[in-house]
Amino acid sequence: MNIVESIRIALKAIWANKVRSFLTMLGIIIGVGAVIIMVAIGNGASKNIAEQIQGLGSNLLTVYPGYFLYEGDGVGVMRSAPTLSLEDAAALEQGEHIQAVAPMVNTYEEVFLGSGNTQTSIYGTTASYLKVRNKELQWGRFFTDQEVADYKRVAVVGSGVVESIMGSMDPGIIGKNIKIRNVPFQVIGVLQGSSTGFYFEDNTVLIPITAAQLRLTGSKEVQEINVQAVSADDMQSAQEEIISLLRKAHKLGPGQENDFEISNQEDILKAMEEATRTMTMLLGGIAAISLLVGGIGIMNIMLVSVTERTREIGIRKAVGAKESNILWQFLIEAVILSVIGGGVGILFGWGGSALASRFLGFPAVVTLSSVVLAVTFSALIGIVFGVFPARKASVLNPIESLRYE
Amino acid sequence: MLLLITLQGITKIYRTSKVEVTALQGINLHIAKGEFVAIMGPSGSGKSTMMNILGCLDTPTAGEYILDGMKVAQASRKTLADIRNKKLGFIFQGFNLLPRTTALENVELPLVYAGVKRKERRERAIEALKAVGLEERIRHKPQELSGGQQQRVAIARALVTGPSVILADEPTGNLDSRSSEDVMAIFQKLHEQGNTIVLVTHEPDIAAYARRIIHFKDGRIERDEVLAKNMEAPA
Ligand SMILES: Nc1ncnc2c1ncn2[C@@H]1O[C@H](COP(=O)(O)OP(=O)(O)OP(=O)(O)O)[C@@H](O)[C@H]1O
Ligand SMILES: [Mg+2]
């Protein structure tokens, strides 16, 4: 008897036992689907957080005024002091390992346009901002160094702000004068929205730092300076350069502490990765349990089904089936059910991940390794627990199998 | 007279956890080609046990079984499967058809394991179903057939491979008298066509179809009688 005939026998047996076949597949579908969805969510979350951090800008170092006071348990407390200025930012631009510098001030204000208004963060910055922060414009243009030097009242707004004050993403915002503390600022550009719509930069208004200091904060103080290193390899050198340039600018003697702090993007990334790793492990645990439960389900049905089918095995053997014929039949049945169940499970996992993406607000990322792991595990259980009991039944005397109740 | 079946000192002992039951105590028996034999005897006398051994569904504890010149008692499980497939056709009291599977597919089953090609398989199965008068029911599943019809499907399955012997253990045991007559008419016809038949029954009027009746008691052959009509029959 050839393999085609064995497959035909197996297909007929699957069809003759539709309900049982379906239940077996269901176990595999749930196991595979759950694992794919869980792993996809965990993965998507990590990716999303990593992207958000990279979205802050690449090779970014941030300088804060003031210094950390370390207390007994090593926890740092920021003591701010108005120690950074636009001159410092200009000084940093001399650094060899430094590509771009964007000083920043920040306030929180109400923004008006006609009848529309919204509460939002206002950032005063320079023309380097786009480059340093890796941002792009949707419409219009960014302000120039000349406009910064001229205290020009111009503004680049985030997409969230446009929606709030115009009611929709309307390019007609360009050229309009928005009012901040009754001072009109002409909108000249709109920032590209982030894919998720949750990014904080969607709800900001950017204006020249000079205008912000003059009209809003009322001081020469700079709250942070974003510094972009030439490349990732230059981060360390750039950091050392910042220290020496600022110490010189601030005329600090050898015995004096730095009156500024530098925060490294990598430090943030590490902290965030730590947090996502915990979440991924949690989801992985849930996935493993789903797989186990699915596996036990498959096991259960396979064991019950072989017990039920001992009579069938007896009948087949009574009319001349060899043990090998019986084993092949059960093996092929288990493989077919595993393959179909695994396939549907993948579709189910995929669809579920897509659905989860909608509710979560970030894309769940299906990974090949989770698909392979889930399908292999389920198929293995299906096959092992389909074939082992069948093997036991196939070596029985036909008459013993037929008597089996 | 061509000898088809020879049993020498066939013994069967069932060992369960506590007791030992000797179901057959050294059976000696010869059956020739073309014979129609009925086996009778009280319940528990070992009739089924012997049929199962004859049908290679079970193995004897001791003794020699020669079928068509072949020593069966020593055969491997694989060879036994082949013998069941090609040389024997077994009919059970409880039909033992595959559920949810059509009459045609049930009858084809032995041919599937014999490696017969699909087209030929189908033709032979339809022919066998015609021989038992079920050509109208080939697409029916067992649960859509009466007991008598199911047993006729089982008979078709037994004879579709053209076996050397047809063995039937109380084939009419689950049937009413009307269906029993139908089934026995088929056995009668098969016998007239030259088939060798061994059949177990409790009913004398069923046994009367046979030409020889073997009486069992306590795992032994008590009496072996050849019916008169066999003598009358022209050679
Ligand atoms: N699997 C078994 N395990 C233990 N004892 C068994 C087994 N099968 C049969 N026996 C015993 O062997 C003896 C013969 O049984 P068997 O089934 O051959 O009788 P029988 O003549 O066919 O009876 P009946 O007319 O009721 O069918 C009985 O005593 C029975 O209890
Ligand atoms: Mg019996």
Side-chain angles (χ1 to χ4, degrees):
Chain A
M1 215 177 67
N2 58 23
I3 186 80
V4 179
E5 205 58 69
S6 300
I7 292 173
R8 209 173 274 143
I9 292 174
L11 283 174
K12 272 184 190 153
I14 287 174
W15 191 245
N17 302 300
K18 289 178 214 59
V19 175
R20 191 161 53 214
S21 306
F22 172 73
L23 287 175
T24 309
M25 280 195 289
L26 200 64
I28 300 175
I29 290 170
I30 291 172
V32 169
V35 168
I36 291 176
I37 292 172
M38 291 299 164
V39 175
I41 290 174
N43 242 294
S46 316
K47 274 231 169 84
N48 179 53
I49 289 172
E51 261 164 31
Q52 293 243 10
I53 291 168
Q54 267 145 28
L56 293 174
S58 48
N59 310 327
L60 186 70
L61 293 161
T62 307
V63 187
Y64 297 101
Y67 48 89
F68 276 110
L69 253 187
Y70 290 97
E71 282 159 7
D73 54 0
V75 177
V77 174
M78 192 75 178
R79 293 292 144 124
S80 58
T83 53
L84 291 181
S85 65
L86 284 176
E87 287 70 37
D88 290 338
L92 288 179
E93 277 175 6
Q94 310 308 311
E96 251 177 67
H97 301 279
I98 290 168
Q99 187 169 12
V101 179
M104 308 265 282
V105 296
N106 168 229
T107 67
Y108 198 76
E109 302 287 347
E110 204 161 359
V111 175
F112 295 90
L113 176 71
S115 60
N117 73 309
T118 182
Q119 298 269 349
T120 185
S121 287
I122 315 288
Y123 284 95
T125 186
T126 63
S128 306
Y129 177 89
L130 274 192
K131 197 173 171 202
V132 171
R133 283 295 180 92
N134 261 357
K135 293 296 289 183
E136 276 176 31
L137 290 178
Q138 176 134 15
W139 299 311
R141 62 176 183 87
F142 207 75
F143 40 82
T144 62
D145 286 329
Q146 194 55 52
E147 283 168 321
V148 175
D150 293 347
Y151 294 73
K152 275 277 192 292
R153 295 191 312 272
V154 291
V156 173
V157 297
S159 53
V161 176
V162 181
E163 273 174 30
S164 299
I165 59 179
M166 297 286 284
S168 69
M169 270 306 279
D170 183 356
I173 185 97
I174 304 283
K176 291 251 168 36
N177 281 306
I178 54 173
K179 280 192 179 163
I180 306 168
R181 287 209 209 156
N182 251 337
V183 181
F185 284 81
Q186 187 181 30
V187 176
I188 58 170
V190 175
L191 287 173
Q192 181 101 59
S194 68
S195 54
T196 59
F198 282 92
Y199 202 43
F200 70 87
E201 276 176 329
D202 288 347
N203 281 305
T204 54
V205 172
L206 305 170
I207 58 175
I209 190 166
T210 46
Q213 287 174 332
L214 181 69
R215 309 276 180 178
L216 305 179
T217 65
S219 90
K220 287 277 166 196
E221 184 190 343
V222 169
Q223 289 161 349
E224 64 178 70
I225 302 176
N226 293 303
V227 178
Q228 188 178 33
V230 172
S231 74
D233 297 332
D234 287 304
M235 295 286 276
Q236 193 54 41
S237 331
Q239 191 156 349
E240 283 158 16
E241 228 163 28
I242 292 168
I243 293 170
S244 77
L245 286 169
L246 285 183
R247 284 185 73 87
K248 206 166 97 193
H250 292 182
K251 301 190 174 67
L252 294 177
Q256 281 176 286
E257 293 264 344
N258 290 345
D259 56 357
F260 54 88
E261 282 291 335
I262 301 171
S263 113
N264 190 328
Q265 187 194 3
E266 234 156 80
D267 298 339
I268 311 171
L269 204 61
K270 268 195 199 119
M272 292 306 248
E273 267 171 5
E274 195 60 42
T276 48
R277 190 169 311 135
T278 311
M279 190 176 77
T280 307
M281 269 165 63
L282 184 77
L283 289 171
I286 295 172
I289 291 169
S290 323
L291 207 53
L292 202 68
V293 170
I296 290 170
I298 300 165
M299 235 184 268
N300 198 11
I301 288 165
M302 281 294 186
L303 282 172
V304 168
S305 107
V306 174
T307 310
E308 276 177 22
R309 295 178 68 183
T310 302
R311 266 181 73 81
E312 176 192 331
I313 292 172
I315 293 172
R316 289 180 183 276
K317 289 190 74 176
V319 301
K322 297 185 179 66
E323 282 157 36
S324 59
N325 298 144
I326 302 291
L327 278 180
W328 273 112
Q329 177 192 333
F330 276 78
L331 177 68
I332 294 170
E333 276 185 43
V335 168
I336 290 173
L337 291 181
S338 300
V339 166
I340 296 175
V344 175
I346 291 172
L347 291 181
F348 179 71
W350 220 298
S353 302
L355 204 67
S357 302
R358 284 203 187 178
F359 290 111
L360 292 170
F362 61 81
V365 182
V366 175
T367 58
L368 186 66
S369 57
S370 71
V371 172
V372 171
L373 172 88
V375 171
T376 310
F377 184 80
S378 305
L380 215 65
I381 288 185
I383 289 164
V384 168
F385 286 87
V387 174
F388 263 94
R391 213 187 110 73
K392 224 178 81 190
S394 77
V395 298
L396 287 178
N397 255 343
I399 204 69
E400 285 173 304
S401 309
L402 286 171
R403 274 210 203 97
Y404 202 92
E405 289 300 338
Chain B
M1 207 165 69
L2 217 63
L3 268 189
L4 196 60
I5 291 173
T6 303
L7 297 184
Q8 284 171 344
I10 289 288
T11 301
K12 179 72 182 181
I13 301 168
Y14 289 110
R15 288 195 177 84
T16 52
S17 49
K18 286 194 194 82
V19 285
E20 257 187 24
V21 179
T22 307
L24 296 174
Q25 318 198 29
I27 300 283
N28 295 310
L29 180 65
H30 299 279
I31 294 173
K33 203 169 172 63
E35 273 197 278
F36 188 169
V37 181
I39 296 176
M40 296 188 78
S43 187
S45 58
K47 307 181 296 292
S48 292
T49 304
M50 194 189 71
M51 288 300 274
N52 292 338
I53 289 170
L54 285 179
C56 293
L57 299 171
D58 205 351
T59 46
T61 313
E64 192 69 76
Y65 172 16
I66 298 160
L67 172 66
D68 224 356
M70 198 172 169
K71 288 190 173 186
V72 169
Q74 281 84 17
S76 68
R77 289 207 294 257
K78 202 171 156 189
T79 311
L80 286 177
D82 247 343
I83 294 173
R84 286 195 294 270
N85 186 235
K86 303 213 166 65
K87 294 201 178 282
L88 300 167
F90 208 104
I91 296 150
F92 302 87
Q93 180 176 354
F95 320 139
N96 276 337
L97 299 173
L98 285 184
R100 302 179 288 276
T101 304
T102 63
L104 185 62
E105 283 172 337
N106 264 294
V107 176
E108 275 185 49
L109 200 60
L111 299 177
V112 170
Y113 291 114
V116 176
K117 291 261 178 310
R118 275 228 287 178
K119 193 159 164 287
E120 187 192 338
R121 202 157 81 196
R122 186 125 302 191
E123 284 164 2
R124 282 170 65 177
I126 290 173
E127 209 175 298
L129 281 162
K130 268 188 194 152
V132 297
L134 279 180
E135 60 269 39
E136 310 282 304
R137 298 280 189 279
I138 61 172
R139 300 283 168 205
H140 285 238
K141 292 170 184 169
Q143 66 266 33
E144 299 158 0
L145 293 169
S146 73
Q149 288 170 333
Q150 288 186 54
Q151 193 58 298
R152 276 145 67 191
V153 173
I155 294 171
R157 182 179 64 186
L159 59 87
V160 74
T161 53
S164 309
V165 196
I166 294 170
L167 302 165
D169 191 352
E170 300 194 42
T172 60
N174 286 7
L175 303 181
D176 59 27
S177 57
R178 175 84 178 74
S179 301
S180 296
E181 277 170 34
D182 290 346
V183 164
M184 289 316 295
I186 293 168
F187 279 112
Q188 178 76 39
K189 197 176 77 186
L190 289 172
H191 170 61
E192 280 158 11
Q193 289 166 353
N195 286 291
T196 311
I197 299 167
V198 181
L199 170 152
V200 173
T201 183
H202 281 287
E203 296 153 69
D205 51 334
I206 297 290
Y209 281 86
R211 301 295 188 267
R212 175 182 172 192
I213 301 179
I214 297 171
H215 295 269
F216 262 65
K217 199 173 181 205
D218 298 332
R220 287 203 175 86
I221 295 176
E222 188 191 42
R223 195 150 52 92
D224 191 343
E225 67 176 320
V226 177
L227 295 189
K229 57 184 168 185
N230 206 27
M231 301 301 192
E232 298 162 3

